[in-house]
Amino acid sequence: MSSQPAAPGAPTVADDEGTPVSVKIRERLAAARRRFHANDNIAEFLQPGELELLLDEVETKMQGVLDSLVIDTEGDHNTQSTARRVAKMYLNEVFKGRYVAPPPITEFPNAEHLNELMIVGPITVRSACSHHFCPVIGKIWIGVLPNEHTNVIGLSKYARLVDWVMGRPQIQEEAVVQLADLIMEKTQPDGLAIVMEASHFCMSWRGVREMDSKMLNSVMRGVFLTNPTLRREFLSLIPGRA
């Protein structure tokens, strides 16, 4: 009798009381042959209530890190609840984009056949470097050239998509590509341009400790690649970037 692969979220052989929830989630991902890199979203593989269990597990392991750093979390009133605070920060805030489904995006038909350049930004970026888990803070500008078949989404929805993609350990070069892929899928425009400028604390807080250096990169899709005039118009309209 042939065995069928388990569906995402289905119980696995490791679904017993003594197995860490992270192991159960990993098994589901492996069964579905889905990768789970730092900047991937794994929300569909979490069952109800497992995020809270994962928080407890991260807290326990974070306490082990503090113990290994020789910090007296029992005697030091400042760090007595640090393990819990860090676990909540990672799962519910700065890395939330890994564990929750994408934000609901209401799409509208382009009834007026809009076909002029639209720019949204600056949108604040709050992310973290996947090399050192140090903050990455910056801004994003998004340029869209719609066509009559383009799905129109509200301006605030661009900010929600940015927050969802950036709310994971990221490398800036990969993050803007992920965001571009998502917006192209949602809106189907003739062209898409994204520029991101950010400060990386892995460079300013540690390492060379260069405080003023920033990283600037862009992704161009569709007519922004083939039409240099349109590309120049977009870049010239970004305040402070002309």
Side-chain angles (χ1 to χ4, degrees), residues 76-110:
D76 177 10
H77 61 282
N78 289 319
T79 57
Q80 283 176 358
S81 300
T82 292
R84 185 70 177 181
R85 285 191 292 264
V86 172
K88 291 171 68 176
M89 177 187 71
Y90 281 155
L91 270 68
N92 297 339
E93 296 178 288
V94 295
F95 298 158
K96 184 178 180 180
R98 296 197 77 234
Y99 306 105
V100 299
I105 302 295
T106 304
E107 303 167 5
F108 304 95
N110 187 1

Side-chain angles (χ1 to χ4, degrees), residues 38 47 51 89 108 117 125 139 143 150 179 226 239 242:
Q47 295 179 357
L51 190 59
M89 177 187 71
F108 304 95
L117 173 62
V125 170
K139 298 181 183 300
T150 295
L179 181 61
T226 58

Side-chain angles (χ1 to χ4, degrees), residues 9-107:
T12 68
V13 281
D15 271 329
D16 59 79
E17 191 174 337
T19 303
V21 67
S22 63
V23 173
K24 299 175 184 179
I25 298 167
R26 282 171 177 262
E27 286 186 348
R28 292 178 206 135
L29 287 158
R33 298 185 178 179
R34 284 280 297 273
R35 75 173 207 178
F36 46 100
H37 291 184
N39 62 354
D40 289 329
N41 178 273
I42 60 171
E44 65 182 285
F45 294 92
L46 272 67
Q47 295 179 357
E50 285 189 335
L51 190 59
E52 291 75 16
L53 295 175
L54 197 57
L55 195 153
D56 293 338
E57 183 180 335
V58 173
E59 176 188 2
T60 298
K61 293 183 177 180
M62 189 62 213
Q63 182 60 50
V65 171
L66 295 172
D67 292 342
S68 294
L69 288 171
V70 197
I71 296 175
D72 178 10
T73 56
E74 292 185 9
D76 177 10
H77 61 282
N78 289 319
T79 57
Q80 283 176 358
S81 300
T82 292
R84 185 70 177 181
R85 285 191 292 264
V86 172
K88 291 171 68 176
M89 177 187 71
Y90 281 155
L91 270 68
N92 297 339
E93 296 178 288
V94 295
F95 298 158
K96 184 178 180 180
R98 296 197 77 234
Y99 306 105
V100 299
I105 302 295
T106 304
E107 303 167 5

